[in-house]
Amino acid sequence: HDMRWDNILTFQVVGFFRPLMNVMFYVTERVMPGNFGAYYATGIYLHFLNGVILYHLVARLTGKLMLASATALFFLVTSTHWAAVGWISARTALISTGLLLLSMLVLAGRPPMRWRRWCAVALYVLALGAKEDAVIGVLLLALSWWGGRETGSLPDRRTLVYFTAATVLYFV
């Protein structure tokens, strides 16, 4: 593969369009070329960071710290995530998951403000740029909106429309 700075945002590895990951791999390889230990260490760190973000999201949504702790611990220790942590190329899942969880965490914040909506959409777009599986964010958002539509809090219908538009633009 011939990824260069001039084709980094359009370069496709095995048919995947992941411009954020292209930038991250390109920069990482320039900063620490061939340092596999650093790649693995950052994979472990990113997985731990995702667990921390998940803890805060569950705590904010439910107000139950024990549930948030158990959820985050279960997420961190289950063997279903070993590939994302152990494979350098699977860093896409770690980055995308973290950005998607951050997007949901921003929306779950109080009070609901316009900047939260735009920040959440931006984080969602970055998650899509890391891995296409982040499209699940629209479904998560729709479920969250449906469950809380009477409260007048985020996510609201407009946020759902913005997420959907971002998803359609990504596929185009």
Side-chain angles (χ1 to χ4, degrees):
H1 297 295
D2 188 26
M3 188 185 318
R4 299 176 313 277
W5 190 247
D6 61 335
N7 71 349
I8 201 164
L9 294 178
T10 58
F11 189 77
Q12 292 187 7
V13 178
V14 196
F16 294 118
F17 178 65
R18 299 174 176 168
L20 178 62
M21 294 314 301
N22 288 351
V23 171
M24 294 189 82
F25 279 122
Y26 185 86
V27 170
T28 302
E29 193 55 30
R30 296 314 176 269
V31 172
M32 47 187 175
N35 188 343
F36 295 116
Y39 276 101
Y40 290 119
T42 55
I44 291 168
Y45 172 75
L46 288 168
H47 182 61
F48 176 75
L49 185 62
N50 285 344
V52 170
I53 297 167
L54 181 62
Y55 166 82
H56 287 288
L57 178 60
V58 173
R60 189 170 289 170
L61 290 174
T62 66
K64 298 177 182 177
L65 299 183
M66 288 301 291
L67 177 63
S69 298
T71 303
L73 183 62
F74 185 71
F75 172 82
L76 289 170
V77 300
T78 55
S79 62
T80 58
H81 305 292
W82 74 268
V85 177
W87 294 352
I88 292 171
S89 63
R91 178 177 295 199
T92 57
L94 295 171
I95 301 291
S96 180
T97 299
L99 291 167
L100 187 57
L101 287 172
L102 275 174
S103 177
M104 298 297 143
L105 181 62
V106 167
L107 285 175
R110 301 289 182 256
M113 302 172 87
R114 187 180 323 173
W115 71 266
R116 289 186 190 282
R117 178 184 301 123
W118 289 110
C119 186
V121 170
L123 288 165
Y124 175 66
V125 167
L126 288 173
L128 284 172
K131 191 170 184 184
E132 56 283 342
D133 293 353
V135 297
I136 194 68
V138 173
L139 178 59
L140 291 173
L141 191 70
L143 290 172
S144 179
W145 169 73
W146 184 261
R149 65 184 187 276
E150 303 299 324
T151 64
S153 63
L154 290 178
D156 58 1
R157 187 176 300 177
R158 183 177 293 170
T159 308
L160 186 56
V161 168
Y162 292 163
F163 268 63
T164 303
T167 304
V168 169
L169 287 173
Y170 172 78
F171 278 115
V172 169

